[in-house]
Each structure stands twice: as structure tokens, then as C-alpha cells.
Amino acid sequence: MTGSGGRRDFNEFNAKLEKHIEKLPEYAQRAQEKLQRYFPPADEAGGKPAARPAPPKRPASPVVRRTAVPTAFAQMAGQVPAVAEVRAKWQRWNEPAAKHQRRITRTSRVLTLWLLITILLGVLTVLAGTGLMGAGGTDVAQTVLAGFGTVVFGTFSVRTGLKLRQLKKLELPQASSAAPPPLPPAASAAREPMERLAESEASLGELLRQLSVPTSLGTAAIPEVSVADARATAQEAARALRGLAARIQAIERGRNSAPERERGALDAAVAKLREQLDDGIEGFGSLVAAAGRAVAASSDGMGTSKQALTDATDHLAGLALALRDLS
């Protein structure tokens, strides 16, 4: 019984094996077709791969140039008033003068604390030494302990007071240049003139610094009075120009909120103020050019350069006065 069952199972297995053997050519052909998809056969002539049909071309997508994140953030920070204000506050917080003032304030508060503790311990020493704190008479241990604390905190008070005195006597060097105010928004008509003004201020500051340096003969190229006058006039003119730019921005904000029929008059006002702003920037540039000629001039032409610098200063002073009246 068992032998007949085993023989039947072997016959079934033998039949299945013959079926798979018969299908081997078909399996080989399928494998060869899949292999040719990845490795095409070489042709008979040059052994180069047979040409395959080119896949359909996809439409080229436009290349999008992405701006670097720090650059994009810096541009956004210069255009958003809130971000510019926070940055200006952070710069003012980190100025040496502000840091020095905070040190003085902290030292003064610490001195006040030490003085209060010293006074309290001194009163406690007197009360303990005279026996006024309790009915049992003088407490020697408490008197010694309070007296020791008075001496310690009195020493702290003296040292802190001396440190505060030194801090108040310390003179900090003046900052070479203050942080420039934030520029108007990019869409404002005052943005481009204010960018030119910032560049002109930086150039003029460097030129005037060079004019103040003594030459090999021990004298300055331009008298210090003329340089100081040019510097003060430039600062006054820059304030007047920024005031005019602020007026332009205010009118632009009002124009954006005004009805359509009234925007024409506001646009005309902005255009007129822009012309005046351009004239002021041009006058400021004349002073920068005069300072540059004074720096580049030789000893023979120094008198002419000095006169040109004086004339440009007087002209810019007149422009600053007119712009201040407009603002």
C-alpha cells in the first residue's frame, strides 16, 4: 500500500519536471529579451551598439534661479521698516557708549546694595553691643559677628565706589561714523536718491579724513577750519535731504490710500519733491568732487582746490538751508 502511494507521487513529480523542462526554451527567450533591453547587441560591422529608438523628448522646464537665503533676507530686512528698526536698536545696544553706560548703572546699583547692607549691619552691631536687642545684656558673639559683617560689606562698598569713580572718569573714543539710517522701501521714489546720498557720505568722510592728515611738511593740505566747516555743512545737508525723503514717503503712503481721482495731484507733488531731492543730491556730490580734487591736487594747485572746496561748501550750505525750509 505504501509502495504504490510512493510510486504514484514519484510519477506526478516526474510529470511536472518534464513540463518545466519543455518550457526551458521559452524561459531562455524571455530572459534574452529582457537582457537586450539593457544591453543591446553589437552590430556585425564595427562592434558598436545597435541604435535604439530615442525616447520622446520632454519639454524643457524653465531654469529658476534661486536667490541665496542670506541675500534675500538682507534685501527683505532693508525694505521692511519693522526689521530695519529692530536692527537699528540692536546696533545702538551694542555701541561702546551704551555698553559703558550699562556698566556704570550696574556698578551704581551694586554700590547701593553694599551700602544698605553695611548700614544695617552697623546698626545691628551697635544694638548688640549696647544690649538694646535683648533683656539679657550685651551679646558678645552677636556683636562680633555683626561687626565682622560690617567690615566685610564696608570693604565691598569702598571697592565698588572706587570702581564706579574710575568708570565715570573713563572717556570712550568717539565712534568714527554712526550707523546709517534705514533706506526707504524699494518702491519709493526716494530710495534711489537715498542710496546715492549714503555712498556720497561715505566717500566724503574718507576724503575729509585724508585732508585732515598732516603732510610731510607737518601742515594739513586744507586748513582744519575749512574741513570742519565742510563736514558740518554736509551733516546738515544730509539731515535736510533725509527730511525731504521722509516727506516723499508720507505723501506716497497717503496716495496709496487716497481715491483714484485724487492720486494725480499727489503724484505731481511727489515728482516735484523728487526733483528738489535730486538737486540736493547733486549739490552734495559737488562737495564730494571738490574734496576729491583737493586730495588729488599737487602743492601748486592747492590754493585753487581750497577755493573750490570753500565754494562747494557755501553752495551746499545754501541748498541745505532751502531744503530745511521745505521740510
Side-chain angles (χ1 to χ4, degrees):
M1 189 72 181
T2 303
S4 60
R7 190 179 299 108
R8 185 169 55 253
D9 295 338
F10 178 77
N11 292 334
E12 292 178 358
F13 175 75
N14 191 19
K16 293 179 179 181
L17 183 60
E18 290 178 357
K19 290 181 180 180
H20 286 294
I21 292 174
E22 292 176 358
K23 292 183 178 181
L24 280 178
E26 184 179 355
Y27 294 156
Q29 184 179 1
R30 292 180 181 178
Q32 185 178 5
E33 291 177 356
K34 291 183 178 181
L35 186 62
Q36 288 178 355
R37 293 180 183 178
Y38 299 98
F39 302 98
D43 57 1
E44 297 178 359
K48 297 182 180 180
R52 290 190 302 172
K57 295 184 178 180
R58 297 181 180 179
S61 57
V63 178
V64 180
R65 298 183 180 272
R66 297 184 178 180
T67 307
V69 174
T71 306
F73 181 76
Q75 295 176 355
M76 181 188 67
Q79 298 177 5
V80 179
V83 178
E85 183 179 358
V86 171
R87 182 173 57 184
K89 288 182 178 180
W90 177 255
Q91 291 176 350
R92 290 194 298 268
W93 173 268
N94 288 325
E95 288 180 355
K99 292 182 179 179
H100 183 67
Q101 186 61 39
R102 289 197 297 270
R103 289 185 63 187
I104 292 177
T105 303
R106 289 195 301 266
T107 307
S108 178
R109 291 175 180 175
V110 172
L111 177 60
T112 303
L113 177 62
W114 293 156
L115 288 175
L116 289 177
I117 296 177
T118 302
I119 293 173
L120 291 176
L121 290 176
V123 173
L124 181 62
T125 303
V126 173
L127 294 178
T130 56
L132 298 178
M133 292 189 61
T138 302
D139 190 348
V140 179
Q142 194 171 11
T143 304
V144 172
L145 183 61
F148 179 75
T150 304
V151 173
V152 172
F153 285 100
T155 305
F156 289 165
S157 301
V158 172
R159 294 186 61 181
T160 307
L162 294 176
K163 181 180 179 181
L164 180 62
R165 183 181 179 183
Q166 293 177 357
L167 288 175
K168 289 184 176 180
K169 286 185 177 181
L170 181 62
E171 295 182 0
L172 296 178
Q174 297 293 333
S176 57
S177 59
L183 294 174
S188 175
R191 174 62 179 257
E192 191 267 340
M194 288 298 98
E195 290 179 345
R196 291 162 52 195
L197 176 62
E199 295 177 358
S200 299
E201 282 183 311
S203 301
L204 181 62
E206 177 61 24
L207 292 172
L208 294 180
R209 187 191 65 81
Q210 293 185 11
L211 288 176
S212 301
V213 176
T215 61
S216 59
L217 300 177
T219 58
I222 298 293
E224 184 62 29
V225 177
S226 300
V227 175
D229 189 16
R231 184 179 290 108
T233 302
Q235 292 175 355
E236 183 180 359
R239 286 193 295 269
L241 291 171
R242 289 191 171 91
L244 189 59
R247 289 189 61 188
I248 293 177
Q249 295 179 68
I251 295 175
E252 288 174 341
R253 288 191 293 267
R255 177 196 59 192
N256 296 335
S257 303
E260 188 68 28
R261 63 179 180 275
E262 298 180 2
R263 293 185 179 181
L266 296 177
D267 288 334
V270 170
K272 183 178 180 180
L273 292 177
R274 171 62 190 269
E275 292 179 0
Q276 297 172 355
L277 186 59
D278 289 336
D279 292 339
I281 298 295
E282 184 177 356
F284 201 99
S286 299
L287 179 59
V288 176
R293 288 193 298 269
V295 171
S298 61
S299 58
D300 296 335
M302 188 56 67
T304 306
S305 300
K306 174 185 174 182
Q307 186 61 36
L309 180 63
T310 303
D311 294 342
T313 301
D314 295 338
H315 178 64
L316 184 60
L319 283 175
L321 180 61
L323 291 173
R324 189 172 63 250
D325 294 338
L326 288 173
S327 301

